[in-house]
Amino acid sequence: MSRIAKALLVVFLAVASQNSAAQAPQALPLPDERYKVDLLLVVAHPDDEGAATPYLARALDEHKRVAVVFGTRGSSGANEAGAEQAAALGAVREIEARNALTTLGINNVWFLGGKDTASQNVLLSLANWDHGESLEQLVRLVRLTRPEVILTFLPGTFIGEDHGDHQASGLLATEAFDLAGDPASFPEQVAGPTKRLEPFLENLRPWQPKKIYYFPDADRDEKMATSDSFWTETLHFVLGKSLVGGSVTGDVFEGITPGAIPFVRPEISPEPARPELSVDLGGPYSFYAEFRRAHGLTNLPHPEPPEIALQGHTTLVIPLWVRNRTGKTQEISLAASLPAGWTTQSGTGKFTVAAKQVAAARIEVLLPAVPENETKKPEPQEVTVHADSNGQSIGEIKLRVEVRKRALPQ
Ligand SMILES: [Zn+2]
């Protein structure tokens, strides 16, 4: 190398090292800390937050950051303050809910945009809420708020108020708990931007919440948050799952330390073994069994036999799955044992189900009326469906049904 070339190289190296020393490293953008929360409450309707408000107040006293997600705007409620109804009432209730939560100190409040669905059937609510869209938005909000704990309604069908929308909020929250940490779920949410003003990819990070707790709405008498007893009554939460240990009865934040934890795929328990020809309860009942299995929630409380409370002089629908794994068409017969005064309307008798098929069947039962002046507390009654094939029993399905003066439609 010539002396000139050596000199040039030295000058070039000097300039290069000077340049890198002069250029300070640029911090890459990080998630917005203003939206990080400790606790995310996921409920169905504006005012449902009242069911957990005493606990939220305590959490806020303990300087926990709290945000709330509502499934719907509550557009089907009654209006005692003005004339507005339907979507206009929903707009009013959204503002009411935001104002109420602001007085508690909770400013981060979102609405999924579901529609009120007056039934006890979670599947109707999910259909009416655009399940996929609602879940996508809730996963986004979990990734945005990065909650340590999710608190939500208990998914399940119990005797009580047990609104399908309440169940839907708990179900979506459970799905979001299990999906938000998975980089393969809604990957467009966690993809980095392709340009400065990225219009499609969201640059969120996957986030695995650490615990999920449930609270039931069933058998919760209509209590006003203004009554003294409401505030002093113990709130019961059910630990759905904890990925950080802690005890079932310990503090909600027991075992939680700051920082992200790795994504945990739920442990799926095996499908129950069934005979070649079987009949079992369908609808939300069989769905919930699948749901508990899919989300590793086998310890979640659920009534056995399954139960429901319905209004007198309405129709009880018993949804059934008829499964034929044999290689030929099978004939089955369905019969129902009912309490006195209950009458089968349809769905009993003989049916066929083709080879290797699963078909939905349905028995409808007219329930007796409950007199307005009835003072006796209603007691659940047992209904049994008997399924036979070729003179042999292939299933006996039990359902406990309580007939009340008032109840949400099934
Ligand atoms: Zn509600």
Side-chain angles (χ1 to χ4, degrees):
M1 200 183 276
S2 76
R3 278 172 64 180
I4 289 175
K6 267 187 196 161
L8 280 176
L9 183 66
V10 169
V11 169
F12 174 75
L13 286 173
V15 168
S17 69
Q18 244 177 23
N19 269 359
S20 67
Q23 193 184 33
Q26 215 185 328
L28 291 167
L30 292 174
D32 192 332
E33 272 306 304
R34 292 173 301 173
Y35 296 96
K36 166 82 179 97
V37 298
D38 298 298
L39 183 82
L40 184 66
L41 178 74
V42 182
V43 288
H45 312 118
D47 81 11
D48 284 347
E49 78 285 1
T53 300
Y55 178 72
L56 297 186
R58 194 184 97 180
L60 290 162
D61 280 349
E62 291 168 354
H63 306 289
K64 299 282 191 284
R65 293 157 293 180
V66 178
V68 178
V69 176
F70 292 102
T72 83
R73 290 183 168 74
S75 61
S76 72
N79 190 351
E80 290 177 8
E84 296 76 12
Q85 286 297 321
L89 177 63
V92 168
R93 292 189 73 187
E94 174 176 344
I95 298 295
E96 274 185 355
R98 289 186 187 281
N99 289 344
L101 286 165
T102 302
T103 62
L104 269 181
I106 301 169
N107 299 312
N108 294 343
V109 178
W110 290 275
F111 291 78
L112 296 180
K115 294 182 192 76
D116 286 2
T117 313
S119 97
Q120 299 186 54
N121 187 339
V122 65
L123 302 173
L124 295 179
S125 295
L126 289 171
N128 204 21
W129 286 22
D130 291 318
H131 186 171
E133 244 175 72
S134 293
L135 179 60
E136 180 188 359
Q137 174 66 351
L138 190 54
V139 169
R140 176 179 289 120
L141 292 173
V142 169
R143 288 169 170 171
L144 176 67
T145 59
R146 291 161 283 143
E148 308 295 324
V149 175
I150 293 181
L151 178 61
T152 187
F153 277 119
L154 181 67
T157 302
F158 300 87
I159 288 178
E161 183 200 342
D162 216 36
H163 200 300
D165 286 346
H166 295 174
Q167 298 172 48
S169 66
L171 183 137
L172 285 165
T174 307
E175 291 181 333
F177 183 96
D178 283 345
L179 288 178
D182 181 0
S185 292
F186 302 109
E188 65 283 8
Q189 291 182 1
V190 294
T194 57
K195 48 177 169 285
R196 193 174 68 85
L197 297 177
E198 168 62 60
F200 300 117
L201 308 177
E202 301 180 33
N203 204 20
L204 290 165
R205 292 292 79 80
W207 179 263
Q208 176 63 69
K210 294 165 187 159
K211 287 183 171 184
I212 183 164
Y213 280 89
Y214 301 106
F215 55 90
D217 77 348
D219 286 332
R220 182 166 54 86
D221 300 325
E222 285 303 310
K223 287 188 200 79
M224 298 300 287
T226 48
S227 72
D228 287 342
S229 65
F230 176 81
W231 297 99
T232 52
E233 216 168 81
T234 311
L235 282 179
H236 291 279
F237 297 159
V238 176
L239 177 62
K241 48 182 153 180
S242 168
L243 304 178
V244 292
S247 58
V248 174
T249 53
D251 185 79
V252 168
F253 282 88
E254 187 188 27
I256 287 175
T257 51
I261 59 167
F263 167 55
V264 178
R265 214 173 278 283
E267 235 170 81
I268 300 172
S269 42
E271 204 173 329
R274 288 193 183 94
E276 293 235 289
L277 186 61
S278 67
V279 177
D280 43 31
L281 205 51
Y285 301 105
S286 61
F287 161 68
Y288 271 126
E290 298 292 344
F291 171 79
R292 289 191 296 270
R293 217 165 60 71
H295 293 279
L297 290 170
T298 41
N299 291 326
L300 205 64
H302 60 276
E304 251 340 305
E307 62 180 29
I308 193 159
L310 294 173
Q311 190 166 318
H313 204 63
T314 62
T315 299
L316 157 71
V317 176
I318 307 169
L320 300 167
W321 287 123
V322 183
R323 301 170 201 274
N324 177 11
R325 287 213 321 262
T326 73
K328 58 175 192 164
T329 297
Q330 298 285 347
E331 187 179 292
I332 58 140
S333 65
L334 299 173
S337 302
L338 303 174
W342 301 30
T343 45
T344 305
Q345 287 179 309
S346 66
T348 53
K350 290 192 163 112
F351 303 90
T352 59
V353 59
K356 309 275 180 200
Q357 298 295 322
V358 178
R362 191 173 80 248
I363 295 177
E364 297 188 348
V365 174
L366 180 64
L367 300 172
V370 182
E372 273 304 319
N373 58 5
E374 176 68 71
T375 51
K376 224 169 56 212
K377 200 183 171 301
E379 285 287 332
Q381 312 275 318
E382 202 164 86
V383 172
T384 308
V385 173
H386 309 274
D388 294 304
S389 184
N390 296 317
Q392 289 209 319
S393 172
I394 56 160
E396 204 175 67
I397 297 123
K398 289 194 186 303
L399 186 62
R400 280 180 356 123
V401 183
E402 187 178 290
V403 185
R404 298 180 166 192
K405 276 186 221 168
R406 304 269 174 277
L408 272 173
Q410 190 180 4

